[in-house]
């Protein structure tokens, strides 16, 4: 059973460019959350997708957007990249059970470097 | 003040030592999670608990809901335990996690 897979694993972009990161959730999971982790810090919640809609959002600007597909996979898009967007981007999948929190499974992350 | 605070930030131990990492939180929670992160980034869930104590191998997690405090213990530590250990909470109807800043553990042979 494949766990959560993210692609690419590493990425280097130039300031002002746009980037798309991808996540396939664990089999049976229907909810995908994205987190940004700066060096030496804990992950920060970006947003969560369920039933192809953004269900919750953290304190991130509109430059950060996402999408969820019918097969539950998800994309994170960041426009107009800034140097400060350099971070590890983590995807976590869970199974939605009537509003209860269930264990999250994480991908290996995408290391984004903006130069 | 962060909603989730961990201590210590860094911890170096000799192989075989008993290790304790602490986590305090300031909000009501539905569950507390202990996670392990190795160099390279991947995060593995160790425990999810809302009361009492859980044990898995050499790892033990406890939580005191009244005191809003949890501890992660590692018995007979080993160099392969070296990693960042992160405490995270989920609260109320929120389905996302709020993370602490992590504890870098180094176990020396």
């Amino acid at each position: 059973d494949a766990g959560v897979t993210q692609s690419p694993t590493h990425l280097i972009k130039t300031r002002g460019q746009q980037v798309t990161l991808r996540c396939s959730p664990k089999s049976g999971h229907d909810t995908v959350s994205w987190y940004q982790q700066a060096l030496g810090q804990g992950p920060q919640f970006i947003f969560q997708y369920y039933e192809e809609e953004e269900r919750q959002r953290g304190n991130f600007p509109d430059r950060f957007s996402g999408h969820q597909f019918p097969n539950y996979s998800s994309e994170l898009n960041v426009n107009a990249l800034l140097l400060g967007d350099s971070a590890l981007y983590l995807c976590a999948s869970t199974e939605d059970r009537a509003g209860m929190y269930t264990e999250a499974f994480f991908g290996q992350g995408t290391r984004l470097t903006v130069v | 003040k962060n909603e989730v605070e961990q201590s210590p930030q860094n911890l170096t131990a000799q192989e075989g030592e008993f290790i304790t990492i602490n986590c305090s939180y300031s909000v009501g929670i539905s569950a507390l999670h202990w996670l392990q992160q190795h160099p390279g980034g991947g995060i593995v869930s160790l425990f999810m608990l809302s009361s009492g104590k859980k044990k898995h191998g050499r790892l033990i997690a406890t939580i005191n809901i009244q005191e809003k405090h949890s501890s992660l213990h590692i018995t007979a530590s080993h160099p392969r335990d070296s990693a960042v250990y992160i405490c995270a909470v989920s609260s109320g109807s929120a389905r996302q996690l709020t993370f602490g800043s992590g504890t870098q553990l180094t176990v020396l042979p």
Side-chain angles (χ1 to χ4, degrees):
Chain A
D1 175 27
V4 180
T5 58
Q6 290 187 244
S7 63
T9 55
H10 294 82
L11 201 52
I12 299 175
K13 289 286 191 178
T14 304
R15 263 184 311 175
Q17 285 188 315
Q18 180 264 343
V19 69
T20 297
L21 311 181
R22 295 177 176 83
C23 172
S24 292
K26 180 178 167 60
S27 177
H29 284 188
D30 55 10
T31 303
V32 173
S33 301
W34 287 92
Y35 295 87
Q36 180 195 65
Q37 186 178 23
L39 202 60
Q41 299 184 20
Q44 298 291 316
F45 175 68
I46 302 175
F47 43 54
Q48 183 180 91
Y49 276 83
Y50 173 69
E51 291 189 341
E52 302 180 49
E53 290 194 357
E54 184 182 290
R55 178 160 67 178
Q56 286 175 323
R57 187 178 183 92
N59 189 25
F60 278 80
D62 292 343
R63 298 186 297 109
F64 290 77
S65 63
H67 189 77
Q68 186 178 36
F69 299 93
N71 66 353
Y72 306 122
S73 67
S74 178
E75 289 182 348
L76 164 65
N77 302 292
V78 187
N79 294 322
L81 284 166
L82 304 174
L83 295 179
D85 295 331
S86 296
L88 180 70
Y89 288 84
L90 292 159
C91 168
S93 74
T94 52
E95 179 187 356
D96 189 88
R97 289 185 200 166
M100 292 175 56
Y101 193 87
T102 56
E103 183 180 7
F105 287 78
F106 286 83
Q108 289 293 311
T110 294
R111 175 74 62 186
L112 172 65
T113 302
V114 182
V115 297
Chain B
K1 185 181 190 302
N2 292 332
E3 291 183 351
V4 181
E5 302 232 350
Q6 284 185 238
S7 63
Q9 278 190 305
N10 294 281
L11 181 57
T12 300
Q14 291 295 133
E15 183 173 357
E17 285 186 5
F18 180 83
I19 289 163
T20 296
I21 300 171
N22 295 300
C23 175
S24 296
Y25 53 92
S26 58
V27 297
I29 66 168
S30 53
L32 183 141
H33 309 253
W34 282 103
L35 309 157
Q36 182 191 56
Q37 186 171 34
H38 280 283
I43 290 179
V44 175
S45 177
L46 299 175
F47 296 103
M48 182 175 78
L49 66 165
S50 55
S51 65
K53 175 179 174 178
K54 286 190 176 181
K55 184 176 189 291
H56 181 68
R58 295 180 295 105
L59 302 178
I60 303 167
T62 64
I63 188 168
N64 185 318
I65 297 294
Q66 287 73 31
E67 295 186 2
K68 292 188 168 59
H69 181 269
S70 176
S71 294
L72 175 68
H73 305 286
I74 304 175
T75 61
S77 59
H78 189 277
R80 66 175 173 266
D81 297 326
S82 298
V84 175
Y85 292 83
I86 305 175
C87 169
V89 300
S90 49
S91 56
S93 60
R95 294 174 176 85
Q96 77 271 20
L97 295 172
T98 301
F99 291 80
S101 56
T103 295
Q104 173 69 63
L105 171 65
T106 303
V107 182
L108 302 174

